[in-house]
Amino acid sequence: MDSFTATAQRSTQVADAVARHPERFRVLTGERPTGALHLGHYFGTIRERVRLQEAGVETFLVLADYQVITDRDTTAHVRDNVHGAVLDYLAAGIDPERTTVFTHSSVPALNQLLLPFLSLVTEAELHRNPTVKSELEASGRALSGLLLTYPVHQAADILFCKGNLVPVGKDNLPHVEMTRVIARRFNERYGPIFPVPDALVTAAPEVPGLDGRKMSKSYGNAIALSMTADETVAAIRRARTDQDRRITFDPEHRRTEEGHCDGGERLPGTPAGAASRLRCRRGDRASRASSRQRARPGDRRRNPRRGARGDGDRVLVVMSRQVVESADGWVSDGGVVPVMIVEVHPGG
């Protein structure tokens, strides 16, 4: 059994324990205020935080303003980013009466944990952390001591409030494992002070950005939660598309599709666990006519703007556009179909 399989099994047990006794758990999670929060944050972390809050888990959210300089030369706009993140939290359902939201700079004593924690890890252990490697690659900078020790900073964040539960995606599991190592070594050296936190692995899909890579502030390919409707449309229009208006799952012949949704949300009719992919573009009149001719006779495809859908149709709401499921698959109502799946619900 590999380490991730073992962690996933342990996470399932932890999830059951949280459901039975949420009052026994304390969550510490958060992010660096380096830019506007985006759809990747919402589907990847914020939605899970709201769920844990509603379940009765004591929740702490840190906006790590001190850590902004980890891979940046300036702290410009940090105050605005903190303010914007809090607004996004509130809009997403975070309740300040039940969840504690704070910044690093408001708890300066937190950083005092770094000195003893750094004495508990080796340089080789820090260099092996795959998350540090990916952050270094994205930054395009030389490896600084601050970036190298970033996982230790995160351990201090989690352990200072004695958090024992960390909701996390697969990519950030190494950070949690580093925190567990530090907690165990500290307790062995100085006595039982800190809990050894468990990872709660989230099943959130990796949200694609406008260029097909993972949505990230570092890549500049994100759709921010704070965007207006017009700004969202303008951003989506930058996404790479192709001439085929049809949405299909064809990993052999359409392997370069940009948008996808893995995990719990998939298009009906696609194989379980498969990536359900989107690519659509406004074509010329002949292309659109060809696409219509490929539909089977008698299907219930209708333009959602011109007529009612059949009782058996289902609608995939994709931002401001709609895609209707016909007997021949998912077909758009024309125009650009953005790459972000928002909701699948029954029609009628």
Side-chain angles (χ1 to χ4, degrees), residues 14 17-19 21-30 48-49 52-53 55-62 98-100 102 155-168 176 179 193-200:
V14 170
V18 171
H21 299 288
E23 72 283 356
R24 297 180 181 177
F25 293 89
R26 175 179 290 177
V27 164
L28 187 288
T29 184
E48 178 68 7
R49 296 168 189 173
L52 291 171
Q53 169 193 273
V57 176
E58 186 178 13
T59 305
F60 288 76
L61 299 184
V62 59
R98 292 180 287 172
T99 295
T100 301
F102 67 99
D157 296 341
I158 295 167
L159 296 177
F160 99 97
C161 66
K162 298 190 175 180
N164 60 0
L165 183 67
V166 184
V168 67
V176 181
T179 302
I193 303 297
F194 297 113
V196 178
D198 284 307
L200 182 63

Side-chain angles (χ1 to χ4, degrees), residues 1-25:
M1 181 185 299
D2 60 39
S3 59
F4 176 72
T5 301
T7 301
Q9 291 182 355
R10 172 61 182 161
S11 177
T12 300
Q13 297 171 357
V14 170
D16 292 339
V18 171
R20 292 193 305 269
H21 299 288
E23 72 283 356
R24 297 180 181 177
F25 293 89

Side-chain angles (χ1 to χ4, degrees), residues 241-260 267 275-281 294 330:
T241 56
D242 71 2
Q243 294 182 349
D244 192 346
R245 294 196 309 130
R246 303 172 54 72
I247 298 174
T248 61
F249 177 76
D250 188 353
E252 181 177 354
H253 299 99
R254 306 187 68 191
R255 300 181 64 177
T256 60
E257 294 137 12
E258 305 304 333
H260 67 277
L267 297 182
S276 304
R277 303 178 183 264
L278 309 183
R279 292 177 80 201
C280 233
R281 178 177 181 177
R294 286 197 298 267
W330 292 89

